[in-house]
Amino acid sequence: MPPRRLHPLDGDTVREQLALRTRDLNTHRDVTRGHYVLYWMQSTHRVHENWALRAAIRAADALDRPLVIHQGLDPTYPYASARHHAFMLDGACDTQQRADQAGLAYHFVLREQRDDDRRVVDRLAARANLVVTDLFPTAGVAERSARFAARTDRRVLAVESSCIVPALSFPKAEWAARTIRPKLSRVLAQALEPVEERPPRREASAALRTSLADTMQRAPLPLASMSRADIDDAIARCDIDHTVARVKGIIGGTRAGSARLDHFVRDVLPHYMTHRNEAADDGTSGLSPYLHVGQLSSAEVVRAAQASGAPSEAIAAFVDQVTTWRELSFNWCVHTPRFDQLDALPNWVQTTMRAHADDVRPVTYDLATLESATTHDALWNAAQRQLVQSGVIHNYARMLWGKSILLWAPTYEDARAWMFMLNDRYALDGRDPNSVGGIMWCLGLWDRSWGNKPVWGGLRPMLTARANKKFDVGRYVRRWGGGA
């Protein structure tokens, strides 16, 4: 497939995109007494292809104010650990470097202890004309933004930068991949067009930058001068779970994500159709952690794939994963209250679960046995060890992993809760809409009834005993079957 010629979007189209991506969280008016526009970076950890940053720059220009970017990391998010902290702090170093190169005023604050000051954003907002932040339905971002918007007297706009096609352009949750795919396809080409990046017209003065430390009442982390050892020392002081350690060999950040993307489109994508299901090999993109925290944009990933020169069948299959399935998950989380709970699932799932709630399980395990990967099933144990050691599970093995928990947990609710706990604690892409979609799919989301079997009811059965039809189970178990 020849590379598609790209034409930057014009100003009117950018405005239309921003309108489709933006929610006003409190309907306050912009104030005139502020000193800057504040962009509170929560889930889109990059300064390129960032629609929230674009919105903030446009607002700053309209108000003739400079822009201030604030990002923070604290120990209170669910399953906060050295693993997740390290990936995000690696990325913050890249963001600092790129912000400095672009002349953007970017400050990162690390809150080490749970009882440390929690009102940095409030004090920064008190000096702002308005606040722009990220629209993201999971990882507590939406709830945190709503609480802030309710207590501040500044206007708060949330802007979505995760999807290629604006998630808010869909008025409701879609039923399945087959319903969202053609809708995405009709507008995907235009949505992939690049947007010219530019800094705000008015720079943040040296005096303003100096005063921000006083406003925050703490010094920002000196990311520009920090080595990886310095980052690890800072993490060691944090009140988080240090038993879930940084994954060896995986570095967070836009530079590392871009290098991984280059490797994928050059060396892996040409063989995607034959190798992507081989769980023991490096046959998938490995980009989900970088997409989860927004260190890469899904649009740049798709553009790189389309320009790769790989076989068209491989490109189409990969692009479908990045667009259809990823954006379907985001669509579900944006438009579905209680998106990660059993009562959000379709009625047929509720019915089949009620009918089979008391079925005798072939074997039952408690959470500790699952977490320690000490079940009777060598393949399942290998998948759990891959998750614990590497922070990811191969896509197909992940489906088997979830379906087996469904079969072995004492109740459907236990299965749901345990899948989220294990995934969100260890996975580098945990607490992401894509993770939510994958787990809820194991419980029947976007699927149909598959008969009426014990325990499964109408849910799609998947058994590890049949996995050899998809990949070399023996080689996968040998790679991940040893001790942690």
Side-chain angles (χ1 to χ4, degrees):
M1 175 184 292
R4 185 169 57 84
R5 187 175 180 183
L6 298 172
H7 304 279
L9 296 178
D10 60 32
D12 288 342
T13 307
V14 171
R15 281 191 290 273
E16 292 169 5
Q17 281 273 317
L18 282 170
L20 289 170
R21 293 177 183 274
T22 302
R23 276 182 178 169
D24 191 332
L25 297 187
N26 59 11
T27 68
H28 293 334
R29 293 180 177 272
D30 299 347
V31 301
T32 58
R33 62 184 182 276
H35 300 282
Y36 48 78
V37 168
L38 176 65
Y39 169 38
W40 179 18
M41 181 182 284
Q42 296 193 74
S43 60
T44 307
H45 300 175
R46 62 180 185 268
V47 296
H48 71 286
E49 300 207 24
N50 182 331
W51 285 99
L53 178 57
R54 288 169 183 155
I57 289 173
R58 283 173 169 263
D61 288 351
L63 293 165
D64 191 27
R65 293 292 189 274
L67 173 72
V68 170
I69 304 172
H70 167 69
Q71 184 182 357
L73 182 61
D74 67 49
T76 61
Y77 62 90
Y79 307 109
S81 68
R83 173 170 300 178
H84 300 308
H85 260 47
F87 198 83
M88 288 185 279
L89 280 168
D90 288 346
C93 290
D94 285 359
T95 304
Q96 180 75 72
Q97 182 184 55
R98 292 184 176 220
D100 290 345
Q101 291 170 349
L104 298 170
Y106 168 82
H107 294 85
F108 185 99
V109 171
L110 177 66
R111 186 158 69 94
E112 297 177 357
Q113 304 300 314
R114 289 174 177 268
D115 57 356
D116 285 351
D117 174 26
R118 302 185 66 174
R119 289 291 180 257
V120 173
V121 175
D122 296 67
R123 288 195 296 275
L124 289 170
R127 295 183 60 192
N129 294 78
L130 80 155
V131 180
V132 178
T133 192
D134 298 316
L135 191 159
F136 197 74
T138 63
V141 174
E143 293 81 0
R144 187 162 57 243
S145 299
R147 290 193 300 268
F148 169 72
R151 68 178 182 260
T152 186
D153 63 353
R154 295 317 196 249
R155 187 183 187 193
V156 182
L157 302 176
V159 183
E160 179 263 304
S161 300
S162 296
C163 295
I164 301 172
V165 176
L168 298 182
S169 62
F170 296 92
K172 61 180 180 63
E174 292 292 322
W175 287 102
R178 67 179 182 277
T179 68
I180 198 172
R181 185 178 284 114
K183 297 175 184 178
L184 291 169
S185 180
R186 284 195 291 270
V187 295
L188 186 62
Q190 184 187 61
L192 282 169
E193 300 289 358
V195 178
E196 181 182 2
E197 307 285 355
R198 61 173 179 81
R201 296 193 185 98
R202 186 169 169 183
E203 289 189 18
S205 67
L208 173 59
R209 291 171 184 258
T210 300
S211 72
L212 291 172
D214 292 334
T215 300
M216 292 185 289
Q217 298 180 13
R218 61 189 305 157
L221 209 62
L223 295 167
S225 62
M226 292 181 73
S227 66
R228 186 150 300 114
D230 294 331
I231 291 174
D232 289 340
D233 287 344
I235 292 170
R237 298 192 296 270
C238 294
D239 182 16
I240 55 178
D241 182 358
H242 293 280
T243 66
V244 182
R246 177 195 281 272
V247 177
K248 294 179 181 179
I250 294 185
I251 301 169
T254 296
R255 283 185 298 174
S258 296
R260 175 70 203 188
L261 174 59
D262 290 344
H263 161 71
F264 172 71
V265 298
R266 182 184 65 247
D267 302 325
V268 180
L269 185 57
H271 314 289
Y272 190 70
M273 298 308 295
T274 55
H275 291 174
R276 63 174 173 164
N277 283 335
E278 193 49 64
D281 293 335
D282 181 26
T284 58
S285 74
L287 296 172
S288 62
Y290 302 97
L291 291 169
H292 165 53
V293 296
Q295 294 167 353
L296 292 180
S297 77
S298 51
E300 69 182 307
V301 168
V302 169
R303 288 198 299 267
Q306 291 178 335
S308 67
S312 59
E313 186 181 18
I315 293 173
F318 175 69
V319 168
D320 191 56
Q321 290 292 318
V322 180
T323 57
T324 301
W325 289 101
R326 191 168 184 275
E327 304 211 357
L328 178 63
S329 296
F330 203 97
N331 167 271
W332 166 259
C333 293
V334 164
H335 292 293
T336 307
R338 296 171 58 82
F339 51 75
D340 58 354
Q341 301 297 312
L342 292 182
D343 59 18
L345 290 165
N347 289 335
W348 73 265
V349 177
Q350 311 285 342
T351 299
T352 200
M353 285 185 174
R354 284 194 297 270
H356 292 271
D358 297 326
D359 287 3
V360 176
R361 272 60 180 166
V363 61
T364 56
Y365 291 112
D366 58 19
L367 177 59
T369 301
L370 296 174
E371 189 168 14
S372 62
T374 51
T375 76
H376 73 282
D377 190 312
L379 172 53
W380 193 92
N381 294 342
Q384 174 64 14
R385 288 192 179 103
Q386 183 185 16
L387 173 62
V388 171
Q389 294 175 34
S390 72
V392 298
I393 307 181
H394 180 273
N395 294 347
Y396 191 76
R398 196 174 194 166
M399 291 189 284
L400 290 168
W401 174 88
K403 287 289 189 177
S404 296
I405 295 174
L406 174 63
L407 188 63
W408 299 339
T411 69
Y412 298 117
E413 173 55 25
D414 287 335
R416 182 206 66 81
W418 294 355
M419 276 188 264
F420 276 109
M421 178 271 170
L422 294 171
N423 182 80
D424 293 354
R425 185 179 187 200
Y426 293 106
L428 283 168
D429 64 354
R431 302 169 68 233
D432 186 78
N434 220 34
S435 290
V436 173
I439 290 172
M440 298 302 275
W441 177 86
C442 290
L443 297 164
L445 181 64
W446 306 318
D447 211 347
R448 59 175 176 82
S449 179
W450 286 74
N452 190 26
K453 296 179 174 64
V455 184
W456 298 108
L459 300 176
R460 180 194 298 255
M462 289 184 69
L463 300 172
T464 57
R466 299 177 185 172
N468 262 319
K469 296 180 179 179
K470 289 288 185 178
F471 62 92
D472 187 339
V473 170
R475 198 153 59 85
Y476 180 70
V477 169
R478 286 191 295 276
R479 179 174 181 184
W480 297 106

